[in-house]
Amino acid sequence: MATGRTHRPATRSRGIPEATVARLPLYLRALTALSERSVPTVSSEELAAAAGVNSAKLRKDFSYLGSYGTRGVGYDVEYLVYQISRELGLTQDWPVVIVGIGNLGAALANYGGFASRGFRVAALIDADPAMAGKPVAGIPVQHSDDLEKIIEDNGVSIGVIATPAGAAQPVCDRLVAAGVTSILNFAPTVLSVPDGVDVRKVDLSIELQILAFHEQRKAGEEHAAADGGGPAAATRTDSAEQGPDGDVPAVMPA
Amino acid sequence: MATGRTHRPATRSRGIPEATVARLPLYLRALTALSERSVPTVSSEELAAAAGVNSAKLRKDFSYLGSYGTRGVGYDVEYLVYQISRELGLTQDWPVVIVGIGNLGAALANYGGFASRGFRVAALIDADPAMAGKPVAGIPVQHSDDLEKIIEDNGVSIGVIATPAGAAQPVCDRLVAAGVTSILNFAPTVLSVPDGVDVRKVDLSIELQILAFHEQRKAGEEHAAADGGGPAAATRTDSAEQGPDGDVPAVMPA
DNA sequence: ATGTCTTTGTGAACGCGTGCACAAAGATGG
DNA sequence: CCATCTTTGTGCACGCGTTCACAAAGACAT
């Protein structure tokens, strides 16, 4: 789900379907776990189970990258980790700036998943002068007056917006003007950007509303068909088959 | 966008496509803004622009809810706000618990978008005894020993998991056993749940990796076709057409 | 009451993504 | 060297979602 998903309609990036790209990080995470346990090879069936997807889907996804498997054996874990990392562009360093150091911005700054994947928090930026200089997650917050200079000096191309909704578009405009071409937006607003700039949106409020919809539906069915076992029965299913993808979710005031 | 996306394959909830459900909150937000400006009616074209979607798609989405528009005029803003709210189940109160009060959990607890949409933080739960009793966002943190009792006493059906990856599955199991049937998961793990339980995943790490992929592709094309205007040119596009869906995104250590 | 103009609601075509099912490839054992 | 068994890679069909394009519906003016 998330809100994000479905990038530029009908435009495969280098032949790799968007849906596949969105799953590669999932595979990578599962593979990394296997790698840490020193597992040498893995079958599509096993890896698919670990990632929570269909094995045929996984094989087709990998087929877009090339033929990295060995029939009768499976996939070489280390090799696959490298190939996917390379494909995702994680073998290089990506400096990232976070704009808006409120509760969420601070949480993101402290987020451990950055460094482990080639992402580096180059700077924290906030509009509040009182925040300037104060260290968050070991990094001193800088004032937004210097936004352009910070972007340029650090060669930042990925920006994270964690400001209130009202400030998001102006901040976005400044980021783009300064050279940022990818934006992860946590503010509950639709951002307008020029062609060539990618935006992904994370909106908690939307995710909760989608859950509420299904929750209400369940409650309704319970009354209608007052039989056939309660909701907390049945066999285990993999949750990864559910949450969209994508789509795309968030974490700021609505 | 994002990661989520695509719930229970091929199962329309009451005839409303999942993709439509995922957009309803988007429309609702745009409509709420119009309502606050006392705009009486809005055309599909205008509303679509505000929500960042295609107008035909919006009309088709609304057609699943019923015929709430007036030809030649448009849609009544207030009426539509009510209909969508009702459809999403936002006219009732949804008590929510947040488990794992780290940086992210605290950010979520302080999140303003809850109350405004019928969501109420019923409790904050953490495994650290040192956290117990300490107030976060005005709500005292409770120890996870009491998780089951808290769920039952408050009639909670929606749980938010903001724990480290390792604790997510056990916490999930306990939530489900206690009666929770919808889970918003911020931990970077694939959760296994019984049938009838909905899980949506928000994974920041995945979102960033998807951005990195496109960023790398842009950089590659720049070298290949060293012409045709830089990346920061062209006309403005609406970003909502991009971020998945769906897909589904996150905010915890990988 | 009639005509014009705006905007909805939807039929139909298209494209992407998914999953089945199987042939080809290679490992492994005798 | 051959047979067998495992697992990949993919052709194919199906279904959902998107978009176009237009007829029907209603407002509004005359």
Side-chain angles (χ1 to χ4, degrees):
Chain A
M1 29 190 35
T3 302
R5 276 100 43 24
T6 46
H7 270 256
R8 36 190 75 196
T11 298
R12 297 200 168 170
S13 316
R14 189 183 145 194
I16 301 181
E18 191 59 30
T20 295
V21 172
R23 280 188 294 268
L24 290 181
L26 222 53
Y27 301 145
L28 184 56
R29 182 173 288 156
L31 285 165
T32 303
L34 290 172
S35 173
E36 280 165 6
R37 287 194 288 136
S38 301
V39 178
T41 62
V42 65
S43 72
S44 64
E45 203 71 46
E46 294 168 315
L47 185 54
V53 303
N54 182 293
S55 70
K57 195 189 295 186
L58 178 143
R59 288 197 299 277
K60 183 151 290 190
D61 283 342
F62 286 174
S63 78
Y64 291 116
L65 310 183
S67 291
Y68 296 146
T70 305
R71 298 177 190 227
V73 177
Y75 298 91
D76 183 279
V77 173
E78 295 301 331
Y79 187 57
L80 206 44
V81 165
Y82 170 72
Q83 289 298 343
I84 295 179
S85 295
R86 191 178 52 76
E87 199 66 51
L88 286 172
L90 305 180
T91 52
Q92 60 185 283
D93 181 69
W94 292 105
V96 171
V97 294
I98 301 173
V99 186
I101 313 302
N103 280 300
L104 176 61
L108 296 176
N110 280 293
Y111 175 53
F114 279 119
S116 62
R117 291 276 183 278
F119 300 102
R120 178 172 52 84
V121 179
L124 304 179
I125 303 176
D126 198 282
D128 182 2
M131 290 288 293
K134 200 192 289 184
V136 171
I139 303 169
V141 175
Q142 301 183 64
H143 191 266
S144 49
D145 282 352
D146 303 324
L147 187 145
E148 286 76 10
K149 180 169 169 44
I150 295 167
I151 300 290
E152 283 151 29
D153 287 356
N154 292 278
V156 173
S157 55
I158 300 178
V160 177
I161 297 179
T163 66
Q169 185 64 58
V171 164
C172 174
D173 291 343
R174 288 181 65 187
L175 286 174
V176 170
V180 166
T181 48
S182 288
I183 291 176
L184 184 52
N185 180 31
F186 285 86
T189 318
V190 176
L191 292 179
S192 288
V193 293
D195 281 351
V197 176
D198 280 303
V199 176
R200 292 190 72 86
K201 190 174 154 200
V202 178
D203 193 322
L204 169 65
S205 171
I206 286 179
E207 295 301 316
L208 275 179
Q209 289 174 55
I210 295 171
L211 283 177
F213 172 84
H214 292 294
E215 199 57 42
Q216 179 180 236
R217 190 177 53 77
K218 286 181 214 164
E221 280 176 0
E222 217 166 273
H223 287 139
D227 69 307
T235 57
R236 279 208 159 196
T237 320
D238 216 327
S239 70
E241 293 296 343
Q242 304 169 332
D245 50 77
D247 284 329
V248 182
V251 194
M252 280 255 85
Chain B
M1 193 153 32
T3 302
R5 295 40 142 90
T6 47
H7 271 256
R8 36 190 72 196
T11 299
R12 294 199 171 171
S13 317
R14 189 183 145 194
I16 301 181
E18 190 59 31
T20 295
V21 173
R23 280 188 294 268
L24 290 181
L26 221 53
Y27 301 145
L28 184 56
R29 183 173 289 156
L31 285 165
T32 303
L34 291 172
S35 173
E36 280 165 4
R37 288 194 288 136
S38 301
V39 177
T41 62
V42 65
S43 71
S44 64
E45 204 71 46
E46 294 168 316
L47 185 55
V53 302
N54 183 293
S55 71
K57 194 189 294 186
L58 178 143
R59 287 197 300 275
K60 182 148 288 191
D61 283 341
F62 286 173
S63 78
Y64 290 117
L65 309 183
S67 290
Y68 295 145
T70 305
R71 299 177 190 226
V73 176
Y75 299 92
D76 183 280
V77 173
E78 294 301 330
Y79 187 58
L80 206 44
V81 165
Y82 170 72
Q83 289 298 342
I84 295 179
S85 295
R86 192 178 51 77
E87 199 66 51
L88 286 172
L90 303 181
T91 52
Q92 61 184 282
D93 180 69
W94 292 106
V96 170
V97 294
I98 301 174
V99 186
I101 313 301
N103 279 300
L104 176 62
L108 295 176
N110 280 294
Y111 175 54
F114 279 119
S116 62
R117 290 276 182 278
F119 299 102
R120 177 171 52 82
V121 179
L124 305 179
I125 303 176
D126 198 282
D128 181 4
M131 290 287 293
K134 199 192 289 183
V136 171
I139 303 169
V141 175
Q142 301 182 64
H143 192 265
S144 48
D145 282 351
D146 304 324
L147 188 145
E148 285 77 9
K149 181 168 168 45
I150 296 166
I151 301 289
E152 283 152 30
D153 287 356
N154 292 278
V156 173
S157 54
I158 299 178
V160 177
I161 298 180
T163 66
Q169 184 65 57
V171 164
C172 174
D173 291 343
R174 288 181 64 187
L175 287 174
V176 170
V180 167
T181 48
S182 287
I183 292 176
L184 184 52
N185 179 30
F186 286 86
T189 317
V190 176
L191 292 180
S192 288
V193 294
D195 281 352
V197 176
D198 280 304
V199 176
R200 294 190 70 86
K201 191 175 154 199
V202 178
D203 193 322
L204 170 66
S205 172
I206 287 180
E207 295 301 315
L208 274 179
Q209 288 174 56
I210 295 171
L211 283 178
F213 172 84
H214 292 294
E215 199 57 42
Q216 178 181 238
R217 190 176 54 76
K218 285 181 215 162
E221 280 176 359
E222 218 165 273
H223 287 140
D227 69 308
T235 58
R236 279 210 158 193
T237 321
D238 215 326
S239 69
E241 291 297 343
Q242 304 169 332
D245 114 68
D247 280 276
V248 184
V251 194
M252 281 253 85

